[in-house]
Amino acid sequence: MAHNGSRYAVVGLSGLLAMMVALLSGSVQTSTPRQVAAPEQEQQGDGLLARGRYLATIGVCEACHTPPAVPETPPDPSDVEQVKREREFRTDPDWKKYLDETRRNAGGVPFILRLSATSSGVVYSRNITPDLETGIGSWSEDDIVRALRTGVTPDGRVLFLFAPHTFFANMADSDAKALAKYLKSLPPVRHRVPDRELPFPPQPAPEVPHPKDPPRGRTPERAEYLLAAVVGCKECHSHHENGQLQEFTGGDPKDAFVGVFRLGPDLPLRAQERGFAAFPYPGYAVLYGGNLTRFGKDGPNSDVPVPRLVRAIRQGIAVEPDEYGRPRPLEHVMLWQFYAQMSDDDAYSIAQLVKRLRYVPHDVHKGPIRFGEDWRAAFQQVFGEPPSPNDERIFGKGNR
Ligand code: HEC
Ligand code: HEC
C-alpha cells in the first residue's frame, strides 16, 4: 500500500467487534399480507434502512467506530473490582460485552500509522452518529455518500482513507444510500473525537465507476461485488509481491499493512502502551491471515467443502482441528462475530468464490506467534527492523 511513494503500516487495523443482535434486528416488518417488494419500493422506507443496517454489519463499521468500555488508564491496583474487570476484558472471548454501550458508533478509536523509523501518525475513527456538534448530524444523506466514496466531507476536509474506506468507492448507489440512511437513523451520541495527526496531507479518492444496484443472489457476481465494495476479506488475506497484490494468498511478515493484527479484545491501546499489544495471552503476539487459495480447486485443501468455509466465516471455527483433534476457535481478529450475521446467500457466494481460487503457494505462519512481554521482538517480527527512538516513544511507552 503506497501513499506519496512511501509504505506505511497501520497497527491494529481491526478494531473492536460488536454483534449487537438485538439492535441489528430492530427493523419493523410491514403488515401482512406481505407483497414481494418491487425494486422501487425497496428504495424507500424500512427496506432500505434494513439493508443499510446489514451492510454496516458485514462492513464492520462498529469494529472501528465503537470504543471499548475500558478506562484509558490502567486500573488502580488497589481497586479489586477494576482489576478484575480489566483482566476479564483481556481474556473473555465475548468482546461485545466490553464495548462502550453509551458510545456506540461515536468514534475515537486510535489507529497508529508507522511510515518509517522516523515518521508516524495517529488517526482516530470518527463519530458517525447524527449528533449535530460532534458527529455527522448536519450532513445530508448525499454528503455521507460522497464522504464514503471520495473521502471528502461537506466542510471540505479530506479523510485519510484506509481499508475498508479504500474500497467503499466501489459501492453501488443504492447500497451507499442505504448506509447513509442507516447512519442518519442512529441515536445521536455526543462525543468529541481528537483531531488526527498525520505527517502528510491525505488525498481525495477519485470517483470510480460503480453500479446503480448491487448484484444479488448466490452468484459469483454478488461475491465479487461484496469483496470489491463492502467486505474486507482481501485486506487481511493478501500480501504484496513486487508491488502486486497477491489476492487471498495470506498475509506476509514482510508486509505489515496486510499482515499484522492485534489479537483478542482489540482495544485501542492506552497511552502508556501504544503498539500492537493487548493480547489475552500474557504478552505480545503477531498473527497473519491464512492463505485461502489452498482451499481453491487445485490447492492442497481442495477437499474442504463450502459449508466448512462458511462455518469458519460465520462461527469462527478453524477449518483444520487443533493438535488434539478438537475444533479450533479462530481469533476474533477474523471478525466472525460480525460475519455471523451474513446472509446464507452472501456467505455461500463468498465461500464458493474461495473454492474457485487458483492455488498460489505461499507459506503463512498459522496461529499466533507469541513474544511474551518482549514487545521489541514482536516489533521486529512485524516491521523487520528493531524499533527506532521514535518507535520507542510511540510503541514502547509503559513497556520500559
Ligand atoms: C478499520 C477501521 C474502520 C472501519 C472498519 C470503518 N471506518 Fe469509518 N473511519 C475510520 C477512520 C479512522 C476514520 C477517520 C479518518 C480521518 O479522520 O481522516 C473514519 C471516518 C469515517 C467517516 C467520516 C466521518 C467524519 O466526521 O469525518 C464516516 C462517515 C465513516 N467513517 C463511516 C464508516 C462506515 C459507514 C463504515 C462501515 C460501512 C466504516 N466507516 C468502517 C475507520 C474505519
Ligand atoms: C481483519 C482481518 C481479517 C478479515 C477482514 C478477514 N479475515 Fe479471515 N482470518 C484472519 C485471521 C488473522 C485468521 C487466522 C485466525 C486464527 O488462526 O486464529 C483468519 C482465518 C480465516 C479462515 C480460516 C482458515 C483456517 O485456516 O482455518 C477462513 C476460511 C477465513 N479467514 C476467511 C475469511 C473470509 C472469507 C473473509 C471475508 C468475509 C475474512 N476471512 C476476513 C483475518 C481476517
Side-chain angles (χ1 to χ4, degrees):
M1 186 144 184
H3 194 284
N4 297 342
S6 50
R7 281 302 265 310
Y8 51 76
V10 175
V11 175
L13 174 68
S14 81
L16 281 167
L17 307 188
M19 182 58 69
M20 306 292 174
V21 180
L23 280 140
L24 288 167
S25 54
S27 94
V28 183
Q29 288 293 323
T30 41
S31 58
T32 48
R34 255 191 99 223
Q35 297 170 331
V36 180
E40 310 84 75
Q41 274 171 305
E42 221 204 16
Q43 301 301 312
Q44 312 143 9
D46 284 344
L48 203 57
L49 193 60
R51 203 209 294 188
R53 185 182 293 116
Y54 176 70
L55 292 168
T57 305
I58 65 170
V60 305
C61 319
E62 277 214 49
C64 296
H65 284 277
T66 299
V70 281
E72 282 291 300
T73 47
D76 171 358
S78 66
D79 185 336
V80 178
E81 276 310 304
Q82 238 191 43
V83 171
K84 196 166 140 247
R85 184 170 167 77
E86 165 92 3
R87 185 171 311 134
E88 278 171 5
F89 170 74
R90 284 169 186 279
T91 52
D92 191 332
D94 186 3
W95 300 7
K96 48 193 170 190
K97 284 207 304 232
Y98 302 94
L99 284 184
D100 189 345
E101 268 302 306
T102 65
R103 289 190 176 166
R104 290 194 64 197
N105 294 297
V109 179
F111 294 85
I112 302 166
L113 285 95
R114 182 185 188 267
L115 282 85
S116 72
T118 51
S119 179
S120 301
V122 57
V123 52
Y124 301 87
S125 62
R126 312 229 11 128
N127 184 343
I128 54 171
T129 74
D131 182 58
L132 262 180
E133 270 178 58
T134 62
I136 56 171
S138 65
W139 299 19
S140 68
E141 288 178 18
D142 286 345
D143 290 338
I144 298 176
V145 170
R146 184 156 168 265
L148 287 175
R149 283 262 167 71
T150 62
V152 180
T153 70
D155 49 347
R157 274 182 302 122
V158 179
L159 299 170
F160 171 65
L161 300 177
F162 63 84
H165 281 267
T166 41
F167 54 75
F168 288 161
N170 300 318
M171 215 181 272
D173 284 331
S174 57
D175 276 353
K177 281 198 188 111
L179 255 180
K181 195 176 180 62
Y182 168 66
L183 294 187
K184 293 294 276 184
S185 80
L186 293 172
V189 181
R190 242 190 104 79
H191 180 223
R192 199 171 293 282
V193 168
D195 289 339
R196 64 168 186 236
E197 293 165 44
L198 291 178
F200 57 82
Q203 303 295 319
E207 279 259 22
V208 296
H210 50 263
K212 192 169 161 299
D213 288 304
R216 306 217 169 217
R218 197 171 298 190
T219 59
E221 293 74 28
R222 175 70 180 172
E224 299 276 355
Y225 169 74
L226 287 173
L227 297 180
V230 187
V231 184
C233 319
K234 282 187 209 171
E235 292 307 314
C236 296
H237 287 283
S238 306
H239 73 287
H240 287 86
E241 223 165 86
N242 306 325
Q244 289 282 83
L245 188 69
Q246 306 291 312
E247 292 187 348
F248 298 112
T249 53
D252 189 291
K254 284 180 238 71
D255 193 339
F257 182 83
V258 289
V260 64
F261 308 97
R262 286 183 287 140
L263 297 181
D266 199 352
L267 78 173
L269 296 157
R270 295 176 303 211
Q272 297 82 335
E273 57 171 41
R274 289 160 118 189
F276 35 86
F279 301 115
Y281 325 98
Y284 295 76
V286 173
L287 177 68
Y288 300 98
N291 183 348
L292 298 186
T293 71
R294 72 187 201 278
F295 304 116
K297 44 182 187 290
D298 50 351
N301 296 81
S302 62
D303 58 332
V304 169
V306 165
R308 204 122 60 86
L309 291 178
V310 170
R311 190 179 71 159
I313 297 168
R314 292 200 297 203
Q315 286 166 266
I317 299 170
V319 171
E320 289 106 351
D322 73 7
E323 53 186 309
Y324 305 106
R326 299 170 305 196
R328 181 174 78 85
L330 294 173
E331 302 299 341
H332 287 76
V333 71
M334 170 42 206
L335 302 175
W336 57 266
Q337 284 187 327
F338 282 93
Y339 301 149
Q341 293 289 299
M342 209 181 262
S343 70
D344 283 351
D345 275 354
D346 287 355
Y348 277 84
S349 54
I350 290 176
Q352 282 162 355
L353 181 144
V354 169
K355 294 297 298 173
R356 284 192 303 273
L357 294 172
R358 195 177 52 83
Y359 176 55
V360 181
H362 170 65
D363 268 342
V364 181
H365 188 280
K366 283 205 191 102
I369 311 171
R370 297 174 195 192
F371 294 92
E373 289 308 314
D374 190 355
W375 77 270
R376 290 183 185 84
F379 185 100
Q380 171 89 39
Q381 169 73 30
V382 172
F383 296 106
E385 59 191 25
S388 67
N390 187 50
D391 298 323
E392 290 274 350
R393 188 175 57 77
I394 291 166
F395 300 103
K397 277 187 187 165
N399 291 299
R400 281 166 290 172

